[in-house]
Amino acid sequence: MTKSAIVLGAGIIGVSTAIHLQRRGYQVVLADRKEPGNETSFGNAGLIQREGVFPYAFPQELGMVLRYALNNSADVHYHMRALPKQLGFLARYWWHSNKSRHAAIAKAYAPLIENSISEHRDLIEAAGADGLIERKGWLKIYRTNEKRDADLADAVAWHRDYDVRYEELDAQQLAAAEPHLRGEFAGALRWTEPWSVRDPQALVAAYSRYFESLGGRFMRADANSFGRAGNGWKIMTADGPVEADAAVLALGPWAMVATRRLGYRFPLGVKRGYHMHYASDGNAVLNNWLLDSERGYLLAPMNRGIRLTTGAEFATLDAPKTPVQLERAEAVARATFPLRERLDQEPWMGARPCTPDMLPIIGRAPQHDGLWFAFGHAHHGLTLGPATGRLIAEMMSAEPTYIDPSAYSPNRFMRR
């Protein structure tokens, strides 16, 4: 008999999962309130980060914590009203970010990261999306020797332990690579293996079209209508009710709401982020995805224009936009590169779903048969979409998994 599944959430995680299930003989309905790739997957830096074996940690240095506490930086911003609700998550996030614990987390995280490029390559080729991809890595630029040397020491260790590849650029080499940069820089570090995506939403849409070419169906639906149907699961779509044997919740930051309705209490936090596109002045060209390491923003040469992305904003999921980070970052970015007018009517905002131990939640729902979870990828959702999709499809199909999934199990958050 043909197995059936509902994948709830049409971001990069959900679309990738739907593809891998459809390939394995499932009849899949991919459900979302918006078209594929139009929530969190719409606005990101567009990086497939093979180098990202260490997930983004909570700062441990007192000086940096105090700087962030002033709430006036471009890379971190917080809503004072949201802090009481988020203190528990932040305390656990800080605890897991201890150097030794962070190193142990990286060992568990690395297998997913190490397969990020190869799993994307599979879907990019199948979806005919090669025109959206750049394969020249990305740059971290440095204003001080101290920051450059500290990051270089990390790069040496990551290369030794995880075969992460890089090259160091001095100030002259950086100027040759990016001749239109302004200001004095001590050099740069190029991560050579990552791929870049010139339009992340277009990539998700291309993957979705490939999914439909395999016989899968995308339907508009409201996650609030999701629930049990006998021994299976159901959801109300714009075309009527749909029932299936199994279901995958890949709802990103909204997974916290959906899982609470089912009786789970995952400590999922939210980091919001913003982006804006700009024209460049005259003949100025940005050649690389470029992170200003001491100022905490990233510039990316996207199809629409030069995308400026911000760091993390700690706020409730439904709080109104407060793009103060974007304003701060834009002022610095304009002094660094000749940006011209804004190309978007208003700043885009999205929310990243984060766990306190920085590992995603991938696996069988502990309290419900036929229900699976795939969320909590924080800053690396785009990077890990296809790798996660393959892993959970293998688990659901009772196949040998290509990596050990135990570190990502939802059970680690269940009360004992």
Side-chain angles (χ1 to χ4, degrees), residues 178-191:
E178 293 292 353
H180 294 104
L181 283 186
R182 299 165 172 168
E184 297 294 326
F185 294 94
L189 187 67
R190 182 190 296 278
W191 301 110

PDB file of all heavy atoms in Angstrom, residues 178-191:
ATOM      1  N   GLU A 178      37.982  42.900  -3.405  1.00  0.00           N
ATOM      2  CA  GLU A 178      36.848  43.820  -3.264  1.00  0.00           C
ATOM      3  C   GLU A 178      37.363  45.261  -3.437  1.00  0.00           C
ATOM      4  O   GLU A 178      37.539  46.001  -2.467  1.00  0.00           O
ATOM      5  CB  GLU A 178      36.175  43.648  -1.897  1.00  0.00           C
ATOM      6  CG  GLU A 178      35.473  42.324  -1.703  1.00  0.00           C
ATOM      7  CD  GLU A 178      34.234  42.170  -2.598  1.00  0.00           C
ATOM      8  OE1 GLU A 178      33.849  43.151  -3.277  1.00  0.00           O
ATOM      9  OE2 GLU A 178      33.658  41.071  -2.615  1.00  0.00           O
ATOM     10  N   PRO A 179      37.602  45.689  -4.675  1.00  0.00           N
ATOM     11  CA  PRO A 179      38.226  46.998  -4.901  1.00  0.00           C
ATOM     12  C   PRO A 179      37.368  48.192  -4.503  1.00  0.00           C
ATOM     13  O   PRO A 179      37.895  49.305  -4.396  1.00  0.00           O
ATOM     14  CB  PRO A 179      38.497  46.993  -6.412  1.00  0.00           C
ATOM     15  CG  PRO A 179      37.560  45.981  -6.976  1.00  0.00           C
ATOM     16  CD  PRO A 179      37.400  44.937  -5.928  1.00  0.00           C
ATOM     17  N   HIS A 180      36.073  47.996  -4.277  1.00  0.00           N
ATOM     18  CA  HIS A 180      35.215  49.122  -3.947  1.00  0.00           C
ATOM     19  C   HIS A 180      34.950  49.268  -2.451  1.00  0.00           C
ATOM     20  O   HIS A 180      34.146  50.126  -2.044  1.00  0.00           O
ATOM     21  CB  HIS A 180      33.883  49.009  -4.710  1.00  0.00           C
ATOM     22  CG  HIS A 180      34.053  49.139  -6.192  1.00  0.00           C
ATOM     23  ND1 HIS A 180      34.006  48.058  -7.040  1.00  0.00           N
ATOM     24  CD2 HIS A 180      34.307  50.235  -6.970  1.00  0.00           C
ATOM     25  CE1 HIS A 180      34.194  48.475  -8.286  1.00  0.00           C
ATOM     26  NE2 HIS A 180      34.389  49.774  -8.268  1.00  0.00           N
ATOM     27  N   LEU A 181      35.609  48.454  -1.629  1.00  0.00           N
ATOM     28  CA  LEU A 181      35.493  48.641  -0.186  1.00  0.00           C
ATOM     29  C   LEU A 181      36.140  49.951   0.224  1.00  0.00           C
ATOM     30  O   LEU A 181      37.164  50.363  -0.333  1.00  0.00           O
ATOM     31  CB  LEU A 181      36.157  47.485   0.572  1.00  0.00           C
ATOM     32  CG  LEU A 181      35.423  46.157   0.653  1.00  0.00           C
ATOM     33  CD1 LEU A 181      36.174  45.209   1.573  1.00  0.00           C
ATOM     34  CD2 LEU A 181      33.996  46.330   1.138  1.00  0.00           C
ATOM     35  N   ARG A 182      35.576  50.592   1.253  1.00  0.00           N
ATOM     36  CA  ARG A 182      36.123  51.822   1.808  1.00  0.00           C
ATOM     37  C   ARG A 182      36.610  51.565   3.226  1.00  0.00           C
ATOM     38  O   ARG A 182      36.033  50.757   3.951  1.00  0.00           O
ATOM     39  CB  ARG A 182      35.052  52.912   1.843  1.00  0.00           C
ATOM     40  CG  ARG A 182      34.480  53.297   0.484  1.00  0.00           C
ATOM     41  CD  ARG A 182      33.202  54.102   0.680  1.00  0.00           C
ATOM     42  NE  ARG A 182      32.701  54.675  -0.568  1.00  0.00           N
ATOM     43  CZ  ARG A 182      31.503  55.222  -0.701  1.00  0.00           C
ATOM     44  NH1 ARG A 182      30.684  55.272   0.350  1.00  0.00           N
ATOM     45  NH2 ARG A 182      31.109  55.721  -1.853  1.00  0.00           N
ATOM     46  N   GLY A 183      37.637  52.256   3.632  1.00  0.00           N
ATOM     47  CA  GLY A 183      38.118  52.131   4.993  1.00  0.00           C
ATOM     48  C   GLY A 183      39.377  51.290   5.078  1.00  0.00           C
ATOM     49  O   GLY A 183      39.854  50.726   4.094  1.00  0.00           O
ATOM     50  N   GLU A 184      39.902  51.221   6.284  1.00  0.00           N
ATOM     51  CA  GLU A 184      41.125  50.462   6.550  1.00  0.00           C
ATOM     52  C   GLU A 184      40.773  49.103   7.130  1.00  0.00           C
ATOM     53  O   GLU A 184      40.050  49.009   8.128  1.00  0.00           O
ATOM     54  CB  GLU A 184      42.010  51.234   7.527  1.00  0.00           C
ATOM     55  CG  GLU A 184      42.499  52.573   7.004  1.00  0.00           C
ATOM     56  CD  GLU A 184      43.449  52.414   5.831  1.00  0.00           C
ATOM     57  OE1 GLU A 184      44.204  51.423   5.815  1.00  0.00           O
ATOM     58  OE2 GLU A 184      43.437  53.278   4.927  1.00  0.00           O
ATOM     59  N   PHE A 185      41.282  48.042   6.495  1.00  0.00           N
ATOM     60  CA  PHE A 185      41.021  46.688   6.972  1.00  0.00           C
ATOM     61  C   PHE A 185      42.327  45.934   7.141  1.00  0.00           C
ATOM     62  O   PHE A 185      43.285  46.123   6.377  1.00  0.00           O
ATOM     63  CB  PHE A 185      40.105  45.943   5.995  1.00  0.00           C
ATOM     64  CG  PHE A 185      38.717  46.516   5.925  1.00  0.00           C
ATOM     65  CD1 PHE A 185      38.374  47.447   4.958  1.00  0.00           C
ATOM     66  CD2 PHE A 185      37.766  46.158   6.867  1.00  0.00           C
ATOM     67  CE1 PHE A 185      37.110  47.998   4.908  1.00  0.00           C
ATOM     68  CE2 PHE A 185      36.497  46.703   6.829  1.00  0.00           C
ATOM     69  CZ  PHE A 185      36.163  47.630   5.853  1.00  0.00           C
ATOM     70  N   ALA A 186      42.351  45.076   8.156  1.00  0.00           N
ATOM     71  CA  ALA A 186      43.561  44.304   8.452  1.00  0.00           C
ATOM     72  C   ALA A 186      43.685  43.064   7.581  1.00  0.00           C
ATOM     73  O   ALA A 186      44.714  42.397   7.599  1.00  0.00           O
ATOM     74  CB  ALA A 186      43.567  43.906   9.931  1.00  0.00           C
ATOM     75  N   GLY A 187      42.632  42.735   6.849  1.00  0.00           N
ATOM     76  CA  GLY A 187      42.654  41.551   6.004  1.00  0.00           C
ATOM     77  C   GLY A 187      41.331  40.819   6.070  1.00  0.00           C
ATOM     78  O   GLY A 187      40.309  41.372   6.516  1.00  0.00           O
ATOM     79  N   ALA A 188      41.348  39.572   5.634  1.00  0.00           N
ATOM     80  CA  ALA A 188      40.105  38.798   5.577  1.00  0.00           C
ATOM     81  C   ALA A 188      40.415  37.317   5.688  1.00  0.00           C
ATOM     82  O   ALA A 188      41.559  36.878   5.506  1.00  0.00           O
ATOM     83  CB  ALA A 188      39.364  39.075   4.272  1.00  0.00           C
ATOM     84  N   LEU A 189      39.376  36.568   5.992  1.00  0.00           N
ATOM     85  CA  LEU A 189      39.422  35.110   5.998  1.00  0.00           C
ATOM     86  C   LEU A 189      38.372  34.627   5.015  1.00  0.00           C
ATOM     87  O   LEU A 189      37.205  35.026   5.111  1.00  0.00           O
ATOM     88  CB  LEU A 189      39.113  34.588   7.404  1.00  0.00           C
ATOM     89  CG  LEU A 189      39.270  33.098   7.676  1.00  0.00           C
ATOM     90  CD1 LEU A 189      40.738  32.689   7.595  1.00  0.00           C
ATOM     91  CD2 LEU A 189      38.719  32.758   9.057  1.00  0.00           C
ATOM     92  N   ARG A 190      38.795  33.833   4.049  1.00  0.00           N
ATOM     93  CA  ARG A 190      37.840  33.272   3.106  1.00  0.00           C
ATOM     94  C   ARG A 190      37.582  31.809   3.452  1.00  0.00           C
ATOM     95  O   ARG A 190      38.501  30.995   3.469  1.00  0.00           O
ATOM     96  CB  ARG A 190      38.355  33.347   1.661  1.00  0.00           C
ATOM     97  CG  ARG A 190      37.323  32.796   0.646  1.00  0.00           C
ATOM     98  CD  ARG A 190      37.903  32.642  -0.752  1.00  0.00           C
ATOM     99  NE  ARG A 190      38.298  33.901  -1.336  1.00  0.00           N
ATOM    100  CZ  ARG A 190      37.474  34.750  -1.939  1.00  0.00           C
ATOM    101  NH1 ARG A 190      36.177  34.469  -2.010  1.00  0.00           N
ATOM    102  NH2 ARG A 190      37.930  35.870  -2.459  1.00  0.00           N
ATOM    103  N   TRP A 191      36.317  31.497   3.754  1.00  0.00           N
ATOM    104  CA  TRP A 191      35.897  30.101   3.847  1.00  0.00           C
ATOM    105  C   TRP A 191      35.659  29.626   2.418  1.00  0.00           C
ATOM    106  O   TRP A 191      34.786  30.149   1.731  1.00  0.00           O
ATOM    107  CB  TRP A 191      34.643  29.968   4.690  1.00  0.00           C
ATOM    108  CG  TRP A 191      34.792  30.487   6.089  1.00  0.00           C
ATOM    109  CD1 TRP A 191      34.220  31.601   6.619  1.00  0.00           C
ATOM    110  CD2 TRP A 191      35.563  29.913   7.144  1.00  0.00           C
ATOM    111  NE1 TRP A 191      34.584  31.760   7.938  1.00  0.00           N
ATOM    112  CE2 TRP A 191      35.418  30.733   8.281  1.00  0.00           C
ATOM    113  CE3 TRP A 191      36.387  28.781   7.241  1.00  0.00           C
ATOM    114  CZ2 TRP A 191      36.045  30.457   9.495  1.00  0.00           C
ATOM    115  CZ3 TRP A 191      37.008  28.504   8.447  1.00  0.00           C
ATOM    116  CH2 TRP A 191      36.833  29.323   9.550  1.00  0.00           C
TER     117      TRP A 191
END
